[in-house]
Amino acid sequence: MKLKAVNEKALTNCSASQQMLAKTTREGVETAFHRALKKKPCPYGVGGTCCRICYMGPCRVSDNAPGAATGVCGATAETISARNFGRMIAAGAAAHSDHAREVALTFLAAARGEAPGFEIRDEEKLRAVAAELGIEAAGKNKNRLAEEVGLKLLAEFGQQEGELHFIRRAPAKRQEVWQRLGVVPRGIDREIVEMMHRTSVGVDQEYVHLMLHGMRTSLADGWGGSMIATELQDILFGTPVPIRAKVNLGVLKADQVNIIVHGHEPLLPELMVAAAKDEELLLAARGVGANGINIAGICCTANEILMRKGVPVAGSVLQQELAIATGAVDAMVVDVQCVMQGLGTVARCYHTELFTTSSRAQIPGAIHLEFNHENGFEVAREIIRRAIANFPKRRAVEIPTEEVDLVAGFSHETINYMLGGRFRASYRPLNDNIINGRIRGVAAVVGCSNPRVRFGDLHTTIVRELIANNVLVLVTGCAAINCAKEGLLIPEAAELAGSGLREVCEAVGMPPVLHCGSCVDNSRLLVAGTAIVKEGGLGEDLSEVPVCGCAPEWMSEKAICIGQYFVTSGVTVGFGVAFPSTGSEKFSDYLFGGIKEHVGATWFFEPDPMAMARQIITILDEKRKALGIDVARERVLYDMEMRRKLEVV
Ligand code: NFS
């Protein structure tokens, strides 16, 4: 296909991606970047007021367009946008939670010895979670205990009444807010189903009432599905600790068999990493003239195996097609979420074999080799064998040289240990440094990339500005990968930080930007925020702590769900690109303002990265002021009595 020239520099700040964009344009291989340039977004869809839930329409309604005030049924812009927003939350919660369900099932199978290649690795965390769930551990071996933990958490998906267990992890004051609003989730699947029901034609027509259920559904994700995924993955694969690795397309090797694992569930990729060390397969690789088998990741699968195994990261979501365009990817293995259908077409233009592996997802043009926990090793070995056989079929190869160092693996447990030290793991030093002003506050920069904005640039611009202003930054998902590519995830990046943050980073030896994992690991940030509250001195609820979140390049429904569970948890969240409520003034006023009366936090929309960074800093400063720590002051020493009062669980 003949493609129009594109301005690569305007499309991304990533030089490796620019190089591959030029290559794909030259070779007539269309990518998401090219398609985005051709497609003009529908303004009704952008503003969240295109209603497609029945067939009397579709109705395109807008407060801003005269004559388009309601749909055929009389639905107003605020009802339509709230319904659409609720459905995005439900879809995001469903994605994270279905991932969690799959992990829970594999976890159970591993505990029962029915999943070859999988075993319970972090017994300490298993015992801690079991105790939290009220499971008696005495006299039980790890597999028996894991089975009980797995069954208990799996039951939360189909639970009809009661409350999700991990809700109790939240600060007591936050739990009271949720009780008052009636938004404590009963069961994960139940809230998602009810969201779909309420938003079907002719049911819930009141936008605040709709959003209250949106909040409940979001909590079923953040403190439910996502948190279950994180905890069980940690127990199954090991809780992450800081680990060095490499990132960007330069991690692909011209002389090795390159296999990219892409998607979200770390189950099969874990086995692939192990299988790639198999002597027989290495011998087969040498037999076709390759010097080894190189596994690299894309998207959140990459984050998962990076954090636990130090596996190199080829790139974030918008680099999935560009990676294949190097001509050096012998196989790409995908499962679920954020996998573009365009991969099938791009793979056909090169020699790459594309494998779908989940029972829930197939792509035209891909080879389907279904993974389940019994056959995992065979599937992993089969894919590697086929990749080896594919290696000699490479045509012209062009691999960008960019390959950058990073440090990942900052789980809540690691932050606790690292800051508190070997003898007294605690958040005390972090709290003290926030109180004394060395650290202004904590910002989470998370989420996707979107070809509607300059890829990677918004994340890194915001992060640079934040750390320069002494804001400690936590990153997850594709935002984490993009920041890593710019060298922001190494201790040396402390040079870019303001003097206070720099001093703390240098004392501890940590980067000013901490990689906390994949998108389901945003649940780690809720736990970390709660640990700050629990430690004392920074308020009694998440809404009082100087923390803020943002997803400046978002595109996925999952991002909306994550944003909403942060807001519902009391943390204000900013989104860039565009915002799917702006077609309705009333609904936007609620999300950007009125919702604060309910949960003590709001959404905000800011497409300009510098303005977003400034807004985050303003929010942190306001919190500091409310806490009375806006002026540097002496450290307050909490005695045991004061601490007990602050205990939140
Ligand atoms: Ni998150 Fe991970 Fe990336 Fe966005 Fe997709 S990979 S789950 S949704 S695009 S950050």
Side-chain angles (χ1 to χ4, degrees):
M1 174 189 318
K2 179 107 182 82
L3 291 176
K4 268 215 257 166
V6 297
N7 179 350
E8 300 90 21
K9 287 212 165 66
L11 294 177
T12 175
N13 67 345
C14 166
S15 49
S17 299
Q18 288 166 7
Q19 183 183 342
M20 286 302 104
L21 267 171
K23 182 173 190 281
T24 48
T25 309
R26 213 166 50 235
E27 295 173 342
V29 178
E30 207 177 47
T31 67
F33 292 93
H34 300 97
R35 292 186 291 268
L37 288 171
K38 286 204 292 197
K39 290 244 167 328
K40 198 170 173 307
C42 161
Y44 294 92
V46 169
T49 51
C50 172
C51 185
R52 287 180 49 253
I53 65 167
C54 83
Y55 219 60
M56 291 189 285
C59 296
R60 301 198 298 181
V61 169
S62 174
D63 283 347
N64 314 319
T70 67
V72 174
C73 70
T76 52
E78 60 273 19
T79 299
I80 293 172
S81 54
R83 278 198 300 230
N84 286 335
F85 205 79
R87 284 194 163 204
M88 292 177 93
I89 294 171
H96 289 143
S97 301
D98 210 33
H99 164 166
R101 185 191 331 267
E102 197 64 30
V103 171
L105 289 169
T106 306
F107 182 91
L108 258 186
R112 290 170 175 158
E114 294 162 3
F118 294 105
E119 59 171 312
I120 304 301
R121 294 237 174 83
D122 190 342
E123 194 172 336
E124 197 184 327
K125 185 153 186 174
L126 169 68
R127 293 196 178 268
V129 172
E132 222 187 315
L133 296 173
I135 297 171
E136 178 57 54
K140 290 176 190 159
N141 69 20
K142 68 174 182 181
N143 285 337
R144 163 107 189 273
L145 192 58
E147 187 176 7
E148 285 184 39
V149 166
L151 283 172
K152 186 140 194 171
L153 290 176
L154 198 56
E156 299 220 320
F157 291 89
Q159 187 172 292
Q160 303 304 323
E161 294 296 341
E163 296 177 0
L164 298 183
H165 216 98
F166 288 145
I167 284 289
R168 292 178 213 165
R169 287 181 165 183
K173 224 174 152 183
R174 182 55 26 184
Q175 292 184 49
E176 282 165 25
V177 171
W178 295 335
Q179 295 287 359
R180 217 171 30 245
L181 291 172
V183 300
V184 176
R186 296 155 291 190
I188 297 166
D189 295 349
R190 175 165 186 187
E191 308 311 348
I192 295 168
V193 168
E194 184 171 322
M195 190 81 254
M196 294 307 287
H197 175 200
R198 283 210 208 184
T199 54
S200 64
V201 63
V203 188
D204 200 355
Q205 333 260 358
E206 208 287 318
Y207 66 100
V208 174
H209 191 244
L210 272 161
M211 262 316 289
L212 283 168
H213 192 70
M215 292 187 207
R216 197 174 205 174
T217 311
S218 72
L219 294 179
D221 177 5
W223 299 85
S226 281
M227 204 169 272
I228 290 174
T230 298
E231 299 300 60
L232 294 185
Q233 284 170 184
D234 278 358
I235 298 171
L236 196 52
F237 303 125
T239 302
V241 292
I243 189 163
R244 270 193 180 264
K246 303 271 186 194
V247 62
N248 215 343
L249 293 171
V251 304
L252 298 172
K253 298 292 164 231
D255 62 344
Q256 296 191 24
V257 174
N258 292 309
I259 302 173
I260 287 190
V261 287
H262 168 27
H264 282 77
E265 295 170 356
L267 306 172
L268 177 61
E270 280 274 338
L271 299 181
M272 298 216 36
V273 172
K277 297 189 184 114
D278 184 314
E279 266 313 315
E280 192 191 316
L281 292 170
L282 286 167
L283 197 68
R286 279 195 290 277
V288 296
N291 275 335
I293 302 165
N294 181 33
I295 310 262
I298 281 197
C299 280
C300 282
T301 289
N303 285 318
E304 299 278 3
I305 52 175
L306 157 74
M307 279 197 300
R308 298 195 179 89
K309 298 259 180 315
V311 171
V313 177
S316 58
V317 62
L318 289 183
Q319 288 173 288
Q320 53 188 286
E321 294 166 310
L322 303 180
I324 293 180
T326 59
V329 177
D330 304 298
M332 183 180 270
V333 189
V334 303
D335 54 13
V336 288
Q337 302 172 25
C338 305
V339 177
M340 293 187 185
Q341 186 171 345
L343 282 181
T345 322
V346 176
R348 270 198 300 281
C349 299
Y350 301 90
H351 80 300
T352 306
E353 280 196 345
L354 178 65
F355 295 94
T356 50
T357 57
S358 166
S359 61
R360 291 155 298 177
Q362 297 199 10
I363 300 178
I367 301 157
H368 190 68
L369 267 185
E370 204 159 300
F371 157 81
N372 60 49
H373 45 72
E374 281 147 33
N375 70 0
F377 249 128
E378 284 151 49
V379 171
R381 290 171 61 86
E382 173 66 9
I383 291 172
I384 295 176
R385 263 194 294 269
R386 294 181 73 145
I388 293 169
N390 207 21
F391 175 82
K393 297 185 198 146
R394 284 186 192 175
R395 299 187 288 266
V397 167
E398 179 184 332
I399 304 174
T401 53
E402 286 82 350
E403 187 184 15
V404 179
D405 283 313
L406 78 130
V407 180
F410 293 92
S411 54
H412 149 69
E413 289 83 348
T414 300
I415 297 173
N416 199 16
Y417 173 83
M418 191 185 57
L419 286 165
R422 187 184 304 265
F423 301 110
R424 193 170 140 257
S426 95
Y427 272 62
R428 191 70 249 155
L430 175 62
N431 282 32
D432 285 346
N433 280 311
I434 296 176
I435 292 167
N436 68 28
R438 276 195 197 92
I439 295 177
R440 191 176 210 141
V442 181
V445 180
V446 308
C448 330
S449 281
N450 187 325
R452 299 270 169 223
V453 295
R454 190 167 184 242
F455 164 43
D457 185 40
L458 282 69
H459 290 140
T460 50
T461 304
I462 290 170
V463 167
R464 281 178 206 277
E465 185 64 14
L466 289 175
I467 61 173
N469 283 283
N470 295 312
V471 177
L472 176 66
V473 176
L474 309 181
V475 287
T476 59
C478 289
I481 299 174
N482 292 340
C483 291
K485 290 193 298 176
E486 291 289 305
L488 294 168
L489 267 57
I490 47 173
E492 294 78 357
E495 284 170 21
L496 305 170
S499 58
L501 177 61
R502 180 177 176 167
E503 203 180 308
V504 175
C505 290
E506 285 174 351
V508 182
M510 70 177 193
V513 185
L514 303 181
H515 184 303
C516 299
S518 63
C519 282
V520 292
D521 291 335
N522 282 313
S523 62
R524 294 189 200 278
L525 308 186
L526 297 175
V527 175
T530 301
I532 293 176
V533 173
K534 206 168 165 180
E535 189 58 52
L538 287 169
E540 291 173 39
D541 192 358
L542 288 164
S543 57
E544 295 170 47
V545 182
V547 296
C548 189
C550 71
E553 302 184 21
W554 79 281
M555 62 86 186
S556 161
E557 291 163 318
K558 292 178 284 175
I560 290 286
C561 187
I562 292 166
Q564 188 59 55
Y565 73 60
F566 272 107
V567 172
T568 313
S569 301
V571 178
T572 290
V573 170
F575 266 37
V577 188
F579 202 83
S581 71
T582 46
S584 161
E585 226 168 89
K586 273 194 193 153
F587 187 48
S588 295
D589 284 351
Y590 178 67
L591 293 182
F592 300 151
I595 197 171
K596 192 165 187 176
E597 271 176 42
H598 286 144
V599 292
T602 68
W603 287 87
F604 71 92
F605 166 55
E606 179 49 73
D608 177 74
M610 285 302 279
M612 182 177 274
R614 277 196 296 273
Q615 178 130 359
I616 292 170
I617 291 166
T618 305
I619 290 164
L620 299 179
D621 285 350
E622 281 168 8
K623 303 267 179 205
R624 296 185 65 84
K625 192 160 182 211
L627 288 167
I629 55 167
D630 49 333
V631 280
R633 58 171 201 176
E634 284 303 298
R635 177 181 157 179
V636 179
L637 281 173
Y638 275 74
D639 60 22
M640 274 321 285
E641 187 50 33
M642 290 162 89
R643 284 225 193 145
R644 256 192 295 270
K645 279 195 199 140
L646 289 161
E647 278 299 295
V648 288
V649 181

